Amino acid sequence: MSSRRPCGRLAGGRPSGMSRCCLYAALHLFCRCPAGSIAHSAAQLPSLIRWDPIRKVWVDMKTNGVVSVTSNSVTNPAPGTTVAAGPSYTQQGETRPQRWSDKSFFPLVIPDAEWFQSCGRIQDDPLTHIASKCDLFKDVVNCQQLAQMGYLPSGVQSFVPGGNINGGFQLPNGCSSGNLGVEYDGLKMVFNSPQIPILAVIAKDLPLSKVYYFGSGVTQGRLLNIIMLKAEFCYAPPNISPLYVSKSATYSTGMQPGTAAWSFFKTVALAPPFTNNVAAMFKGDSADATWTLNVQKTGTDTVYQGAVNGQITITNPQNAPVTVYNINDYVQGGPQSTVSCGSPVPFQIQPCSSTVCNYVGYWPAAPAPGSYTNLADVQYSVGDTAVMGNQVGTAIFQVEQLSAAVGTINTAAGAIPAGQAVVQDGMAPQAYGFSGTSQQSYSSQLTCPDTAILTNQAVLTASTGQQITQTATVQKLCYELAVRIAQTSAPYVGRWDWAVSKVASAQNVTLKPAETAWDRYVNQQLDLAQATGQDTATAMDAITGGQNLTSLTADAMPGSTNEEVAYTVTFTRSAPQAVTGSAPAFQSVGEVYITNSSPLNAQLTEVQVSMTNPFGGLPYTTTASCPMLTVAAGQTLTCRYIATPSFNPVGASVSASAIYQNNRNGVPTGATTPFTSAAIIVGAAAAPAGASRKLQAATSGEDRGDNPLANVLSNILKPAPAGGTTTSLSINNLPPIPIPNLPEMPNISGIIGSRAGNKSSNGSSAGFNLSKFMSDVAKNMANDNKQGRDEHEQVDISIAAESSDASDADAKAPAPAPAAAPAPAPADTVVAAAAGNPSEPPQMPLAPVVAAAPAAANLQGLQQECVEAGDVFVTGDEYVTGMLVAGTFPSGRICSTTTFTYTVRYGPFKECFNKQAVNKASWVAADTQQAGNASSTVNVAVEGCGAAVAAKAKSYAVWAKKSYRWDVQKKVSPSSVTVGRDQVAKATYSIDYIRTEILVNPKLSTTMQFDNLAGTSAVTLSSFSFTVTSLCDGQQRQKTGTFKCAASTIPAGGTPLTCQLQTDLPCVGPGVIVAQALAKDRTVTSVPFNFPAPKSIDVLSESECAIVVDEFSQGNGLLSGNVTSGVRPYGKLCGSKQFVYTAAFGPFQACGKQKATNVFFFMIGGPTRSSRANASLN
């Protein structure tokens, strides 16, 4: 430090025995010691190198770092050590100043706690309230150290008043300074700094440092109770730019007149293949035209020069020198300037000083009037740092409008710069400027549809006022294709196909009669008996012979008197073949004529035909078939089309479009242009007045004359020829002939069915007048013969000799293809061809594009959408009809596939017969008059009426003979035995003889009686037969045979015919016998007669006894035994009996296998019958 207190007593009466230096050393602070010691020699060290007596180290007071001091090769000598030469030091580390709170050794006098809290503030003294906080350090600190510790902002500046603390001072702040006034009386200090706020004051009183902080800074304040040797004021760094750049700018002009002259002409050229500036095209084509502007210039222009100049002032506000490395000066949108600063770059600007540079920039031509900005960009660095910076200075100047004497020309494209010319062209995309001889080309596109001559004008205007006008001309010729569409035949309208099928639940019905002749006979006899007063029971016994009455009546017969048959009739509506893709449902055929009147060939992509939908749906489109797609110049191309829409085309509007392939410069562009014809109405062309459709018929190749329909229908009513020849009627697309009594048409099915089945008929039905019908048809056909009809309109109706399940519309005759219409076709030809409605789509010589077959549900306007359905029985002597008991007969109008189910009951019938029930279902289409039918035949048989004869058994006898059946069973035990040598084997035999009584030769004898029930005439019988059925061991066995009677005729009202019948029975068991006889073609069947099982009437004695024998078989390998006990059977036996005996075998000398076979048999005499039974011992 620059001043020290003398050694001696301390202020305040402290003893002088301890110098102040020693006292401070005891307080861990630094001091200088007396001369003559190391401290004296240490004075040769920097003043900040001090001795720390507590830690015994040297310390750098600026960084508080420990240093290493060396003197005469002695490291870190203690103070007071004598050294011969000045010491040196080395920095070793750094320590931060310690605050008072960090001290480990307290001084004799320390501030109290109140001071740390109040910083010496007095309540009534506002100037003492400036300190925001206080702190006490044991070391001497400065502002920069406080900034390093974070107590003050970085870059803080400091000022220490030199000498006396009192007085006025200047605070340096960059290139300026501020006033600082300080008053200090030894205890308090007052300061005033009006320009620069003070951040902190450090009161330094060795070895202490008191710090007062003032927050963001104050300009005045009072500090109390402060003792210090030095005061340090801390304040913020100046807020200044590293460098300031300013400049000025002035614009000036000058010019000299010139002798420039201009010439100009304009040309146009079409792209190939076009020549002579003529482009022939179709509508939608385009051609490129190239327009060229040729400009020539001679002479010299007006000499013009503009300049901007001024000064650039560069100011260094720093305390350090600034080095300038580069100055870039220019005008935005203008020239670059030349800069002169007196010294070339790089050069330095001293602290707080400025340098002035001059610059100038030149324009080669006059700039547009307006405001311009001149910029000077200075590149520099501050002090010895290598960091570069940039600072920009600007100046704005004005360029004024040239005076009238200069002669500036203004056009619609703007002012023309001096020495230049502008060409304005109405077709060009912009105005073009020229500064000398040059040319400029641009292109435009010529497009059709309109033919036109295009003349284009261009005007050159020079800055000198010269003006030239030039023109160029090009021509475009635009063409279109003429398209016409025509029908070549009448439209075809498809039909729904109808078929009817009929299925009966039974084909054969067998019934029993409701009443038999026996029933009538019994009722008659009972009435007669009751009239004579005889009771019913006695009369019935006399009538039936004691048999059960129910077995003789119709009720007792098997079967039923009636039976119900269920019919299922299905009318099936099927979509036309178009649904499968084999044929269209609708068709309209025509031609498209494309005429090219231009000199160019026209290339088409396709020819489209579009048809509106009369039903409100989407239109139909198709592509016509063309022999080629190029329409030669001056030629007409004929294309043909077949339109197959999903709707009825009649009444639709149809037009054609030739799709032309557009070109640009003769090259296809991919774009197309349609040339569309006027629309025509499909089917709108009317036939000549009174015209109708001719009917063409063929019936098995036979010529029917001028009225084929009448002949064919009358032929239907005739029996079919032998061999079942089919009658075929061709009525393609039958026109709406006014057929009378149309609602009664179903009755015709009954008539046709009757005739077709080769059965008799009355030829008429209720509700239908056949004669009138045929008469009306004949009249209609006669009228038709007077008028022209289309020979190709045919519908085939086939009526077979037998009932058919097929629709009458199935047998179509193919329609011949119409002749191709000429092309182009005149209008009247189209009208004539449009008449009629061909039954099948016409064939085309060319293959047209046919659309995919639509779904049936999408077809609109088909013919035969609905039909009238009917169902009738065929009547006549050979036919029977039933009664409807459930469901309904098919009838009425149906428009979709419909199934009718109904049940008909046949019976009861009193008479027996074999007849047919023929039931026929039919349909008729109202719009086309086509019809179809299907029939079902049920064979009805009523059986069991019988002849007017009753047959019954009056008496009977059954018997059989008694006989016996013999059975025998034989056993041996054991069946196998093993014995040793010289040993004996024994076996026991048991034989059971069983006699059973049986009956044989069963017989039946009965008297059959045949009664004449009619009683009015004799009845002759023949072919007498019987059937016997016996129950044999649970199984039925039958025997049939014939018998004879004494007579064969039963007189009227005479005695019944009796016959004796005797026969063997199938077995000894109960049974039933039925007798039959033939009366004319009727079978007479007796009432079944039940008989019991036969009983024996005598005995067959020859089977009562049997001769029995028992013996051993002899032979190789066979042994015989000796009876050792019991009795062996032998002799005559006349009842059941058992024999048991034992036989011995051996002894045996040799080993081996032997066998003993014992055989018994018996014989039964008259006739002799024998039986054997074996028992073997191994």
Side-chain angles (χ1 to χ4, degrees):
M1 298 180 66
S2 59
S3 63
R4 293 186 303 273
R5 293 187 182 185
C7 294
R9 292 187 62 86
L10 296 175
R14 295 178 188 171
S16 61
M18 179 184 293
S19 68
R20 187 166 183 171
C21 178
C22 296
L23 176 63
Y24 275 41
L27 292 176
H28 293 196
L29 299 178
F30 305 104
C31 66
R32 295 181 181 271
C33 295
S37 65
I38 185 64
H40 176 75
S41 61
Q44 302 177 27
L45 294 171
S47 61
L48 293 179
I49 303 301
R50 304 294 176 88
W51 173 255
D52 185 348
I54 300 301
R55 292 184 291 171
K56 304 299 183 181
V57 293
W58 293 94
V59 177
D60 186 339
M61 295 302 295
K62 181 176 181 181
T63 64
N64 284 338
V66 177
V67 299
S68 178
V69 176
T70 302
S71 178
N72 279 354
S73 300
V74 178
T75 302
N76 294 330
T81 303
T82 302
V83 295
S88 63
Y89 73 97
T90 302
Q91 181 77 38
Q92 291 184 340
E94 179 179 351
T95 58
R96 297 167 63 86
Q98 290 185 307
R99 299 171 58 189
W100 182 261
S101 59
D102 299 330
K103 295 180 180 295
S104 60
F105 181 85
F106 296 95
L108 296 179
V109 179
I110 61 176
D112 55 16
E114 181 182 357
W115 181 86
F116 284 102
Q117 295 179 357
S118 65
C119 296
R121 291 190 290 269
I122 299 176
Q123 184 175 2
D124 297 334
D125 188 354
L127 288 180
T128 64
H129 290 199
I130 58 173
S132 59
K133 68 174 182 177
C134 301
D135 210 346
L136 180 66
F137 289 87
K138 72 172 185 177
D139 301 322
V140 177
V141 298
N142 55 40
C143 297
Q144 285 70 30
Q145 288 177 318
L146 295 178
Q148 292 175 359
M149 290 184 286
Y151 298 127
L152 293 177
S154 177
V156 67
Q157 299 183 91
S158 63
F159 175 74
V160 179
N164 191 358
I165 296 177
N166 289 283
F169 307 95
Q170 292 294 316
L171 294 180
N173 190 21
C175 294
S176 62
S177 62
N179 296 321
L180 173 64
V182 180
E183 292 183 0
Y184 176 60
D185 61 1
L187 290 177
K188 66 178 181 294
M189 181 181 70
V190 178
F191 66 89
N192 185 16
S193 177
Q195 290 85 21
I196 300 174
I198 303 301
L199 300 177
V201 172
I202 304 174
K204 302 181 180 182
D205 184 21
L206 292 178
L208 304 177
S209 293
K210 282 185 179 181
V211 181
Y212 297 83
Y213 299 98
F214 306 136
S216 59
V218 297
T219 57
Q220 60 180 345
R222 181 180 292 114
L223 305 178
L224 302 179
N225 300 322
I226 180 172
I227 301 175
M228 59 181 173
L229 297 177
K230 290 289 184 180
E232 185 172 344
F233 294 85
C234 304
Y235 54 96
N239 184 17
I240 59 176
S241 173
L243 198 70
Y244 291 108
V245 178
S246 62
K247 64 178 306 180
S248 62
T250 303
Y251 179 76
S252 60
T253 61
M255 68 187 67
Q256 180 179 351
T259 61
W262 299 83
S263 61
F264 167 58
F265 62 94
K266 179 178 182 179
T267 60
V268 61
L270 292 176
F274 306 110
T275 59
N276 300 324
N277 286 353
V278 177
M281 302 177 291
F282 285 100
K283 179 181 177 181
D285 286 349
S286 61
D288 291 334
T290 301
W291 308 82
T292 303
L293 308 175
N294 291 280
V295 176
Q296 292 182 349
K297 178 184 178 182
T298 59
T300 60
D301 292 326
T302 298
V303 177
Y304 174 88
Q305 188 177 65
V308 59
N309 66 313
Q311 290 185 333
I312 303 172
T313 302
I314 306 172
T315 301
N316 178 12
Q318 306 290 334
N319 287 327
V322 170
T323 302
V324 176
Y325 292 94
N326 185 46
I327 302 174
N328 182 23
D329 191 280
Y330 60 94
V331 176
Q332 286 183 333
Q336 192 80 18
S337 301
T338 301
V339 181
S340 174
C341 297
S343 297
V345 293
F347 60 85
Q348 280 193 340
I349 303 176
Q350 296 304 312
C352 302
S353 61
S354 298
T355 296
V356 176
C357 304
N358 297 314
Y359 73 92
V360 62
Y362 299 97
W363 268 271
S371 178
Y372 291 83
T373 301
N374 182 261
L375 297 93
D377 186 355
V378 179
Q379 186 182 30
Y380 68 94
S381 66
V382 179
D384 54 1
T385 178
V387 179
M388 294 290 182
N390 287 79
Q391 190 66 31
V392 177
T394 61
I396 298 176
F397 62 94
Q398 296 292 325
V399 174
E400 301 297 336
Q401 181 74 37
L402 292 176
S403 63
V406 178
T408 301
I409 302 299
N410 286 301
T411 66
I416 302 176
Q420 297 187 21
V422 172
V423 176
Q424 295 172 281
D425 190 321
M427 190 175 290
Q430 66 182 56
Y432 297 103
F434 295 88
S435 60
T437 298
S438 181
Q439 70 177 24
Q440 178 67 48
S441 297
Y442 67 88
S443 296
S444 65
Q445 194 174 80
L446 308 182
T447 59
C448 282
D450 299 325
T451 296
I453 296 176
L454 303 178
T455 299
N456 186 23
Q457 177 177 285
V459 178
L460 178 143
T461 303
S463 61
T464 59
Q466 183 182 0
Q467 196 170 67
I468 304 172
T469 299
Q470 290 289 329
T471 61
T473 299
V474 69
Q475 183 179 9
K476 60 175 182 176
L477 302 177
C478 298
Y479 297 93
E480 294 188 10
L481 297 174
V483 181
R484 186 169 62 88
I485 187 171
Q487 299 178 77
T488 57
S489 63
Y492 168 75
V493 179
R495 306 171 177 176
W496 289 100
D497 295 329
W498 287 88
V500 58
S501 63
K502 188 167 190 176
V503 178
S505 61
Q507 284 72 45
N508 298 286
V509 173
T510 301
L511 305 175
K512 66 180 182 179
E515 186 180 52
T516 66
W518 175 260
D519 292 323
R520 292 191 296 273
Y521 170 73
V522 170
N523 293 332
Q524 178 192 31
Q525 294 300 313
L526 287 176
D527 291 340
L528 294 175
Q530 290 175 0
T532 60
Q534 189 177 12
D535 63 276
T536 302
T538 302
M540 286 301 299
D541 286 340
I543 295 171
T544 64
Q547 294 296 314
N548 186 2
L549 174 64
T550 59
S551 66
L552 304 175
T553 64
D555 291 340
M557 294 176 63
S560 175
T561 60
N562 62 75
E563 184 173 335
E564 294 180 355
V565 177
Y567 290 89
T568 301
V569 182
T570 301
F571 295 88
T572 302
R573 190 181 80 164
S574 303
Q577 295 178 350
V579 178
T580 64
S582 59
F586 305 101
Q587 184 168 293
S588 176
V589 179
E591 293 183 343
V592 180
Y593 312 106
I594 303 110
T595 301
N596 181 4
S597 59
S598 76
L600 309 171
N601 292 338
Q603 182 65 41
L604 307 180
T605 60
E606 62 179 343
V607 176
Q608 292 181 349
V609 176
S610 178
M611 180 182 297
T612 61
N613 189 341
F615 298 89
L618 295 175
Y620 166 84
T621 60
T622 187
T623 302
S625 178
C626 304
M628 63 184 65
L629 289 176
T630 300
V631 187
Q635 299 296 317
T636 296
L637 175 66
T638 300
C639 302
R640 298 177 182 177
Y641 70 90
I642 296 180
T644 57
S646 61
F647 51 82
N648 189 334
V650 175
S653 174
V654 62
S655 60
S657 295
I659 310 303
Y660 169 74
Q661 179 174 279
N662 286 123
N663 297 311
R664 179 177 180 178
N665 302 327
V667 178
T669 62
T672 58
T673 297
F675 295 99
T676 305
S677 70
I680 61 173
I681 303 301
V682 179
S692 60
R693 295 176 177 83
K694 183 176 181 180
L695 190 66
Q696 185 181 66
T699 56
S700 302
E702 180 183 357
D703 185 6
R704 296 296 180 181
D706 294 335
N707 199 341
L709 179 61
N711 281 284
V712 172
L713 291 180
S714 64
N715 187 54
I716 292 172
L717 303 179
K718 295 181 181 180
T725 304
T726 299
T727 299
S728 176
L729 172 64
S730 295
I731 318 173
N732 252 334
N733 278 338
L734 190 67
I737 302 175
I739 299 178
N741 303 321
L742 185 59
E744 292 145 17
M745 280 296 289
N747 292 317
I748 301 177
S749 300
I751 300 170
I752 295 176
S754 175
R755 294 297 183 183
N758 293 326
K759 305 296 181 181
S760 61
S761 174
N762 295 329
S764 63
S765 299
F768 177 69
N769 189 330
L770 179 61
S771 299
K772 184 178 185 302
F773 168 75
M774 298 310 302
S775 175
D776 290 342
V777 170
K779 291 179 181 179
N780 288 324
M781 296 309 300
N783 292 333
D784 290 340
N785 289 336
K786 297 177 182 179
Q787 302 167 352
R789 288 188 175 275
D790 189 344
E791 295 181 351
H792 304 294
E793 296 179 14
Q794 300 182 4
V795 171
D796 294 343
I797 301 178
S798 297
I799 305 172
E802 296 296 330
S803 59
S804 172
D805 291 337
S807 170
D808 293 343
D810 291 342
K812 282 187 180 180
D828 55 353
T829 303
V830 176
V831 172
N837 183 28
S839 62
E840 291 188 353
Q843 304 300 315
M844 296 288 290
L846 295 176
V849 179
V850 181
N858 297 329
L859 298 176
Q860 297 174 293
L862 288 171
Q863 292 180 331
Q864 298 185 173
E865 185 172 0
C866 300
V867 297
E868 294 290 334
D871 196 314
V872 295
F873 278 100
V874 177
T875 59
D877 293 339
E878 301 300 322
Y879 298 92
V880 295
T881 60
M883 180 178 66
L884 181 69
V885 296
T888 58
F889 287 116
S891 63
R893 183 182 179 87
I894 58 175
C895 299
S896 62
T897 297
T898 305
T899 298
F900 295 88
T901 302
Y902 61 92
T903 303
V904 172
R905 179 182 297 156
Y906 295 100
F909 301 101
K910 290 186 178 181
E911 301 293 334
C912 292
F913 58 79
N914 285 289
K915 295 185 179 182
Q916 289 183 331
V918 179
N919 185 267
K920 180 167 291 189
S922 61
W923 60 268
V924 176
D927 51 359
T928 65
Q929 300 303 311
Q930 280 194 296
N933 66 78
S935 62
S936 177
T937 300
V938 178
N939 299 311
V940 180
V942 182
E943 299 177 351
C945 294
V949 175
K952 58 187 175 181
K954 294 292 291 184
S955 62
Y956 74 95
V958 289
W959 70 94
K961 290 185 178 182
K962 182 171 68 173
S963 182
Y964 298 96
R965 182 177 69 244
W966 289 86
D967 295 307
V968 62
Q969 295 179 356
K970 188 170 187 177
K971 299 179 182 179
V972 60
S973 178
S975 60
S976 178
V977 64
T978 302
V979 297
R981 184 180 298 175
D982 299 327
Q983 291 185 352
V984 177
K986 292 184 178 182
T988 299
Y989 293 87
S990 62
I991 305 171
D992 292 301
Y993 293 94
I994 302 170
R995 190 184 74 169
T996 304
E997 184 178 312
I998 62 174
L999 295 177
V1000 296
N1001 299 330
K1003 295 184 182 295
L1004 167 67
S1005 177
T1006 182
T1007 299
M1008 301 299 299
Q1009 175 179 313
F1010 294 89
D1011 294 284
N1012 187 343
L1013 303 181
T1016 58
S1017 60
V1019 177
T1020 300
L1021 303 179
S1022 63
S1023 303
F1024 297 94
S1025 64
F1026 68 88
T1027 300
V1028 175
T1029 303
S1030 296
L1031 187 62
C1032 308
D1033 298 328
Q1035 303 292 327
Q1036 291 185 358
R1037 296 174 60 186
Q1038 285 188 343
K1039 180 180 180 181
T1040 61
T1042 61
F1043 65 95
K1044 296 182 179 180
C1045 297
S1048 60
T1049 301
I1050 310 174
T1055 305
L1057 177 66
T1058 58
C1059 305
Q1060 296 299 319
L1061 186 157
Q1062 181 174 327
T1063 181
D1064 294 334
L1065 297 176
C1067 63
V1068 181
V1072 63
I1073 183 171
V1074 175
Q1076 290 181 328
L1078 191 62
K1080 292 185 180 180
D1081 58 348
R1082 305 282 179 163
T1083 299
V1084 178
T1085 303
S1086 70
V1087 177
F1089 178 78
N1090 298 315
F1091 59 85
K1095 295 183 179 181
S1096 63
I1097 58 175
D1098 55 8
V1099 178
L1100 293 176
S1101 59
E1102 65 270 12
S1103 61
E1104 185 176 1
C1105 298
I1107 303 301
V1108 297
V1109 178
D1110 184 272
E1111 60 185 11
F1112 286 100
S1113 299
Q1114 302 295 323
N1116 185 23
L1118 297 176
L1119 300 176
S1120 297
N1122 299 316
V1123 177
T1124 59
S1125 63
V1127 178
R1128 296 177 67 183
Y1130 187 81
K1132 185 175 182 179
L1133 185 65
C1134 294
S1136 298
K1137 187 176 181 180
Q1138 184 182 52
F1139 294 88
V1140 179
Y1141 66 90
T1142 301
F1145 302 89
F1148 301 97
Q1149 298 298 320
C1151 295
K1153 293 183 178 181
Q1154 302 291 331
K1155 186 176 185 179
T1157 300
N1158 185 269
V1159 180
F1160 109 94
F1161 65 91
F1162 66 88
M1163 293 184 298
I1164 304 173
T1168 300
R1169 180 171 64 86
S1170 63
S1171 179
R1172 294 170 59 91
N1174 296 338
S1176 297
L1177 172 66
N1178 295 311

